[in-house]
Amino acid sequence: MSFTTRFAPSPTGPLHLGHAYSALLANDMARATQGRYLLRIEDIDQSRARPQWEAQIYDDLRWLGLRWPEPVMRQSDRMARYGAALDRLAAIGLSYPCRCRRGDIEAAAGAPQEGVPKFGPDGRIYPGTCRSRPMADAGPGDVIRLNMERATHALPALGFTETGPAHSGHHALSRDHLCRAVGDIVLMRRQMGGSYHLSVVVDDADQGITHVVRGEDLFGATQIHVLLQHLLGLPTPTYHHHRLIRDAAGKRLAKRDDARAISKYRSEGATPEDIRRMVGLG
Ligand code: GLU
């Protein structure tokens, strides 16, 4: 199978040096193997996505010298696809509707217990308040969650290959870890066709992605993705989680760090080669 990778930005702010590194590294890896490099716009959160950020993404990436096949996959066009994946998980009894708000979850989580993690890769670990609600009871204000105990019952030997520098090797999924330290993740958020976890696995499969190249901050979410791939009958790609670009104080860059926006460097006269050098790819 030929190497196929993607860059999958969310149009919720300007691309910064961290995105440039991710986009360029994935492209370099595809070129080195004569593979394919695809773009995907992760605009599933329509309350935060903005057309001007999407336009700026195309402009910045072209300026960096990147090219990709058209048409570009956009999550906002694919809600029916995520709905079908959700239906499949519901049909095998692995999902439930949840009406808890953040405050309810915090209150139900109770006092911290030693050795029991409070946060996992999907945020605060859900205490299970709504777990026995049937899907037939789902209302418009609910999110849909995965019943992790059930989803990992009789889990076969699953895992993934990581080629990134920090965790290179084979990583086996652990039922104990998934139940204790990840918990009942959200499959569909309010007003959205799917959650990040659900849409990313469906999209990677539909784009034929063989190698996922992305930031180290998503390493912890990868076992969720491998589990969902298994439950949905989708292939598991190879993963490459790269280092994060940090600011002078060592803090990782966020969308609001406009000071590091590619467009800012462009307006100050930087060249694409300067950007490559700044992220250590020069
Ligand atoms: N859309 C995500 C982001 O902008 C990337 C998700 C991924 O590569 O899996 O951080």
Side-chain angles (χ1 to χ4, degrees):
M1 203 189 323
S2 79
F3 184 108
T4 303
T5 191
R6 47 57 167 195
F7 177 55
S10 306
T12 55
L15 294 187
H16 55 58
L17 284 185
H19 296 105
Y21 178 58
S22 207
L24 289 166
L25 178 67
N27 184 67
D28 287 359
M29 289 172 71
R31 286 182 97 157
T33 54
Q34 274 144 38
R36 281 165 32 98
Y37 177 72
L38 307 179
L39 182 61
R40 177 165 83 229
I41 299 295
E42 297 213 323
D43 60 349
I44 196 161
D45 184 354
Q46 285 285 299
S47 68
R48 293 171 63 226
R50 297 283 175 273
Q52 69 267 29
W53 295 128
E54 185 174 333
Q56 180 82 50
I57 287 172
Y58 299 134
D59 195 53
D60 282 341
L61 294 179
R62 282 202 192 95
W63 176 79
L64 282 170
L66 299 170
R67 300 293 180 267
W68 50 87
E70 301 279 353
V72 168
M73 180 180 278
R74 296 168 77 242
Q75 291 186 325
S76 52
D77 297 333
R78 293 173 43 78
M79 298 303 176
R81 203 54 199 92
Y82 310 137
L86 268 175
D87 288 348
R88 183 163 169 167
L89 296 175
I92 48 176
L94 298 185
S95 61
Y96 63 88
C98 169
R99 60 166 77 96
C100 296
R101 304 285 153 162
R102 188 193 297 260
D104 304 326
I105 297 175
E106 276 165 25
Q113 282 168 272
E114 209 177 322
V116 180
K118 281 175 76 173
F119 290 91
D122 195 47
R124 190 176 277 278
I125 297 168
Y126 183 62
T129 319
C130 289
R131 199 173 283 144
S132 58
R133 286 180 64 204
M135 282 302 287
D137 195 28
D142 291 343
V143 305
I144 306 296
R145 289 185 182 273
L146 181 72
N147 183 324
M148 191 59 89
E149 290 276 346
R150 268 198 215 154
T152 56
H153 179 70
L155 193 69
L158 293 177
F160 65 97
T161 301
E162 166 71 30
T163 61
H167 305 276
S168 128
H170 181 79
H171 295 268
L173 259 54
S174 142
R175 178 171 198 223
D176 177 59
H177 177 84
L178 284 165
C179 291
R180 227 171 46 85
V182 177
D184 291 0
I185 57 150
V186 174
L187 294 170
M188 192 196 76
R189 298 205 171 272
R190 289 180 192 94
Q191 329 288 335
M192 290 206 255
S195 66
Y196 159 66
H197 302 300
L198 185 80
S199 57
V200 84
V201 299
V202 170
D203 293 346
D204 282 337
D206 286 357
Q207 285 192 304
I209 301 300
T210 62
H211 288 73
V212 170
V213 179
R214 63 185 179 190
E216 175 62 31
D217 52 327
L218 290 169
F219 179 76
T222 306
Q223 29 185 325
I224 300 173
H225 300 169
V226 174
L227 175 66
L228 290 176
Q229 285 151 3
H230 163 70
L231 297 173
L232 293 168
L234 305 173
T236 291
T238 296
Y239 286 87
H240 185 99
H241 291 91
H242 58 68
R243 66 184 164 83
L244 299 178
I245 304 292
R246 298 182 182 275
D247 66 13
K251 218 167 68 34
R252 62 174 274 231
L253 301 181
K255 282 267 163 62
R256 59 190 168 279
D257 289 323
D258 290 8
R260 304 282 164 147
I262 298 171
S263 51
K264 175 124 193 308
Y265 289 105
R266 288 177 65 178
S267 68
E268 289 168 0
T271 65
E273 292 69 37
D274 293 332
I275 302 286
R276 271 194 169 268
R277 263 192 299 278
M278 279 184 239
V279 298
L281 285 173

